[in-house]
């Protein structure tokens, strides 16, 4: 009976609870989703398990329809079998037959190419049918889990078939996966293409890093605690390091990765977005408009530090020991052009021309086949201006550091000096360690769960706008152009922390990269 009520009237809300209480789970209203590229790795490993987990947690409407679109000649049963295997392999929550059957009833597959008029007309008829059968009320999100080369065909067909146009009291939204262009020029053209079909407020650009709990905790850390605000500026911060390191190689992605590289794949979106969250001013509130406005101010003030020959570094991994295993080099990876200059390691120095951050370098780095898998933000503080301790008593102490661990082992570390027990005045570094898994009993939702639900709820706070995307490319383009004109990347052995040129970037000023 509850399912029928939800299907007819949307999700049930306890009238005794305050609807403004942000601690309550947010439940999507009547709606459905179409996934283009549903047979790809992203949909199989991330999207389909996330949709099941949302349903399992009661956050989707009871009649939620899920439609896959692709070239395979599948019927409903074939599609259900495919989704079930993906869910059983990748779901975060317990598999429950009753939840699965309710979700599977709304699953359908439409066969066709991205330029197939008849197939999109069939899709339009299917969605109209599901609106009546499943109570989706004409509200549809279109997930473009396809390479950007196909965006034009899909957007054109959505417009031609009338699928992009919502009726009265209805909505249509498009969710777009990265990469958002290849440079600023192509990003602008891509934005113009998408905005010619969907209004900007209906476009949700997925950056899955922004869906991680620890990334969102940057806002809580900064703006819920008076403890940090007075020292979050150039008076106290010496420099900031933002790292996303992977211990894996290209594997089967060599063909996709060649011509893109580490900077385009990670720095342009993930790391520059992390920089914006770390450096932004306090928003008036956490509405999408206010958050995006503050991030845009930071991005407009950010630029690469010259000379790029000394303030950037890039590399390609060679064979070496990755832990206890010997890893082959990039040029030995199947499908990778041995003459390619595409980097697997990228580092750059950025500066923010604002009162808060003037003079503080932001060092961004990412790479494959590095020492370990880790993503972190480290604020390294200046030394105290006066040290009254005896000479030699601080030989084991470094600079104070606040580290936000994004993954794995999500949490935060504060490093500071403390007296060593004993009769002598000896100061040594100690760590204060906060771990999400130890502090909270609740398990953090997977990033795609949060972002898919936000798109259905029209909550755009964690989605970059077209202006943010273009400004990010504006920051990165001069570096990419410089690299394109200046030879090959340096080499670094697998299992190390990158090329020597990256170490020289920081050692020029007496600094060094953290070794997480």
């Amino acid at each position: 009976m509850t399912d029928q009520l939800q299907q007819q009237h949307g999700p049930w809300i306890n009238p005794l609870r305050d609807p403004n209480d942000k601690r309550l789970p947010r439940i999507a209203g009547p709606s459905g989703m179409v996934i283009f590229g549903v047979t790809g790795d992203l949909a199989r490993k991330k999207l389909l398990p996330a949709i099941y987990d949302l349903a399992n947690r009661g956050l989707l409407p009871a009649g939620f329809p899920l439609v896959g679109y692709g070239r395979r000649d599948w019927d409903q049963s074939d599609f259900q079998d495919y989704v079930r295997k993906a869910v059983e392999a990748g779901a975060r929550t317990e598999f429950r037959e009753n939840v699965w059957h309710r979700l599977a009833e709304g699953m359908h597959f439409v066969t066709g190419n991205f330029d197939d008029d008849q197939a999109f007309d069939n899709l339009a008829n299917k969605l109209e049918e599901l609106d009546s059968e499943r109570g989706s009320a004409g509200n549809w999100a279109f997930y473009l889990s396809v390479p950007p080369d196909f965006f034009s065909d899909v957007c054109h067909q959505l417009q031609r078939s009338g699928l992009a146009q919502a009726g009265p009291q209805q909505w249509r939204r498009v969710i777009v996966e990265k990469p958002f262009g290849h440079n600023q020029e192509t990003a602008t053209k891509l934005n113009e293409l998408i905005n010619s079909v969907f209004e900007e407020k209906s476009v949700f650009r997925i950056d899955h890093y922004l869906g991680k709990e620890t990334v969102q905790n940057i806002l809580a850390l900064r703006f819920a605690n008076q403890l940090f605000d007075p020292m979050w500026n150039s008076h106290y911060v010496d420099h900031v390091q933002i790292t996303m390191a992977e211990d894996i190689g290209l594997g089967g992605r060599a063909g996709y990765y060649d011509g893109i590289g580490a900077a385009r794949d990670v720095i342009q979106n993930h790391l520059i977005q992390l920089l914006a969250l770390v450096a932004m001013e306090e928003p008036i509130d956490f509405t999408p408009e206010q958050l995006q406005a503050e991030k845009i101010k930071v991005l407009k003030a950010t630029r690469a530090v010259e000379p790029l020959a000394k303030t950037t570094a890039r590399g390609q991994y060679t064979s070496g020991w990755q832990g206890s295993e010997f890893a082959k080099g990039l040029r030995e990876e199947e499908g990778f052009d041995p003459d390619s200059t595409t980097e697997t390691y990228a580092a750059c120095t950025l500066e923010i021309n604002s009162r808060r951050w003037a003079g503080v370098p932001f060092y961004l780095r990412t790479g494959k086949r590095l020492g370990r898998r880790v993503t972190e933000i480290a604020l390294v503080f200046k030394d105290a201006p006066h040290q009254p301790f005896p000479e030699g008593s601080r030989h084991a102490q470094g600079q104070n550091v606040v580290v936000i661990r994004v993954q794995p082992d999500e949490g935060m570390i504060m490093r500071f000096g403390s007296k060593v027990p004993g009769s002598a005045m000896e100061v040594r570094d100690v760590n204060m360690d906060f771990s999400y898994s130890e502090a909270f009993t609740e398990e953090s939702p997977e990033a795609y769960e949060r972002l898919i639900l936000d798109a259905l709820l029209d909550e755009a706070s964690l989605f970059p706008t077209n202006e943010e995307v273009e400004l990010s490319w504006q920051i990165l383009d001069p570096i990419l152009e410089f690299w394109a004109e200046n030879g090959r990347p340096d080499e670094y052995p697998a299992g190390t922390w990158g090329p020597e040129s990256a170490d020289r970037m920081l050692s020029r000023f007496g600094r060094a990269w953290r070794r997480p």
Side-chain angles (χ1 to χ4, degrees):
M1 181 65 180
T2 301
D3 287 356
Q4 293 176 348
L5 288 172
Q6 285 187 324
Q7 192 167 323
Q8 294 174 13
H9 304 292
W12 180 77
I13 299 174
N14 187 339
L16 299 179
R17 290 186 172 186
D18 181 359
N20 295 317
D21 189 341
K22 299 300 183 183
R23 296 169 298 177
L24 299 180
R26 302 168 305 159
I27 303 173
S31 56
M33 178 173 287
V34 179
I35 301 179
F36 297 97
V38 73
T39 59
D41 281 352
L42 176 67
R44 178 170 52 85
K45 295 178 180 179
K46 295 292 185 181
L47 306 185
L48 298 175
I51 289 171
Y52 169 81
D53 287 331
L54 287 172
N56 206 8
R57 293 164 58 206
L59 301 179
L60 295 181
F64 185 80
L66 175 64
V67 180
Y69 184 99
R71 290 177 293 181
R72 301 193 186 183
D73 188 17
W74 281 351
D75 58 20
Q76 183 181 24
S77 177
D78 295 326
F79 185 50
Q80 289 172 338
D81 290 343
Y82 168 78
V83 177
R84 177 165 185 147
K85 290 177 182 177
V87 167
E88 289 178 336
R92 184 180 60 84
T93 59
E94 177 187 2
F95 189 87
R96 297 192 293 171
E97 288 290 345
N98 62 325
V99 174
W100 166 253
H101 285 305
R102 186 174 67 181
L103 187 61
E105 287 176 355
M107 292 181 186
H108 294 269
F109 190 83
V110 175
T111 301
N113 293 319
F114 295 139
D115 59 354
D116 187 337
D117 288 3
Q118 184 58 54
F120 272 83
D121 290 341
N122 293 341
L123 177 62
N125 292 333
K126 174 58 68 177
L127 300 196
E128 186 175 354
E129 177 184 316
L130 290 172
D131 285 336
S132 174
E133 293 179 357
R134 306 293 297 178
S136 43
N139 300 324
W140 289 93
F142 302 104
Y143 202 120
L144 272 57
S145 180
V146 299
D149 291 347
F150 295 111
F151 285 4
S152 178
D153 286 339
V154 175
C155 287
H156 166 72
Q157 289 291 353
L158 290 174
Q159 186 177 46
R160 183 203 61 79
S161 62
L163 286 168
Q165 287 75 49
Q169 307 302 313
Q170 297 177 347
W171 54 257
R172 302 292 164 94
R173 297 172 191 147
V174 62
I175 305 172
V176 182
E177 272 288 341
K178 76 175 185 73
F180 309 126
H182 194 73
N183 52 28
Q184 186 181 10
E185 180 182 359
T186 56
T188 300
K189 291 180 179 178
L190 189 61
N191 284 332
E192 290 174 349
L193 166 68
I194 296 171
N195 290 148
S196 69
V197 179
F198 293 91
E199 293 181 278
E200 178 60 20
K201 66 180 182 180
S202 299
V203 181
F204 292 74
R205 296 169 184 81
I206 288 273
D207 184 338
H208 69 273
Y209 257 64
L210 299 185
K212 294 181 179 293
E213 282 290 329
T214 39
V215 172
Q216 298 163 50
N217 193 45
I218 296 171
L219 301 175
L221 174 73
R222 292 195 55 197
F223 304 126
N225 300 291
Q226 184 65 14
L227 171 66
F228 297 106
D229 184 65
M231 63 182 186
W232 210 269
N233 55 60
S234 61
H235 296 298
Y236 299 98
V237 176
D238 179 75
H239 68 278
V240 179
Q241 298 183 22
I242 304 179
T243 298
M244 178 183 164
E246 297 180 274
D247 56 6
I248 59 172
L250 295 187
R253 299 178 70 230
Y256 159 80
Y257 199 84
D258 193 10
I260 295 178
R264 287 185 173 93
D265 192 40
V266 175
I267 291 180
Q268 181 273 330
N269 39 72
H270 302 329
L271 299 195
I272 289 181
Q273 280 289 323
L274 293 182
L275 175 147
L277 291 172
V278 169
M280 64 185 274
E281 296 298 324
E282 181 179 4
I284 296 172
D285 53 42
F286 286 140
T287 59
E289 296 79 13
Q290 296 299 331
L291 276 173
Q292 291 159 357
E294 295 302 333
K295 285 197 292 179
I296 286 170
K297 289 178 185 177
V298 171
L299 297 179
K300 284 182 175 179
T302 303
R303 67 177 182 86
V305 176
E306 302 277 358
L308 298 179
K310 295 182 178 180
T311 61
T312 68
R314 58 178 176 148
Q316 293 180 337
Y317 63 83
T318 60
S319 59
W321 287 97
Q322 189 85 49
S324 60
E325 297 183 2
F326 188 78
K328 59 185 177 182
L330 174 69
R331 298 179 192 176
E332 299 156 21
E333 297 271 15
E334 184 178 351
F336 198 85
D337 181 359
D339 296 323
S340 172
T341 59
T342 299
E343 79 284 350
T344 57
Y345 178 98
C348 61
T349 311
L350 304 181
E351 63 181 359
I352 301 172
N353 295 312
S354 69
R355 182 180 293 272
R356 179 184 292 270
W357 295 111
V360 177
F362 282 70
Y363 298 112
L364 279 56
R365 64 171 168 170
T366 184
K368 296 187 177 296
R369 288 290 182 206
L370 297 182
R372 63 166 296 196
R373 172 179 172 264
V374 62
T375 300
E376 69 170 34
I377 303 162
L379 283 83
V380 182
F381 289 85
K382 297 177 180 179
D383 287 329
H386 173 64
Q387 295 289 350
F389 302 96
E391 186 175 352
S393 65
R394 299 178 64 247
H395 64 277
Q397 185 187 8
Q399 292 170 284
N400 298 154
V401 182
V402 171
V403 180
I404 301 168
R405 294 193 310 258
V406 177
Q407 68 175 15
D409 306 322
E410 293 87 347
M412 190 179 80
I413 295 174
M414 294 179 64
R415 187 180 75 189
F416 53 91
S418 178
K419 182 185 176 298
V420 179
S423 59
M425 177 54 79
E426 182 184 358
V427 180
R428 188 175 299 171
D429 281 336
V430 295
N431 288 333
M432 183 178 291
D433 196 340
F434 154 67
S435 170
Y436 258 85
S437 61
E438 294 179 6
F440 299 106
T441 56
E442 299 91 343
E443 185 180 359
S444 297
E446 206 275 334
Y448 276 98
E449 292 176 50
R450 171 70 186 269
L451 295 173
I452 289 173
L453 181 60
D454 279 357
L456 296 175
L457 290 166
D458 198 22
E459 171 54 65
S461 299
L462 301 178
F463 296 84
T465 64
N466 56 7
E467 187 173 6
E468 289 177 66
V469 170
E470 292 174 27
L471 285 170
S472 298
W473 281 116
Q474 185 175 303
I475 295 166
L476 190 61
D477 274 356
I479 297 172
L480 297 173
E481 292 166 5
F482 173 79
W483 287 348
E485 297 169 359
N486 287 273
R488 299 188 60 85
D490 298 327
E491 295 182 344
Y492 63 98
T496 64
W497 282 97
E500 292 181 1
S501 54
D503 293 328
R504 291 195 296 268
M505 269 178 56
L506 274 68
S507 63
R508 294 169 59 220
F509 301 100
R511 300 181 178 117
W513 289 108
R514 281 176 44 81
R515 295 291 188 262

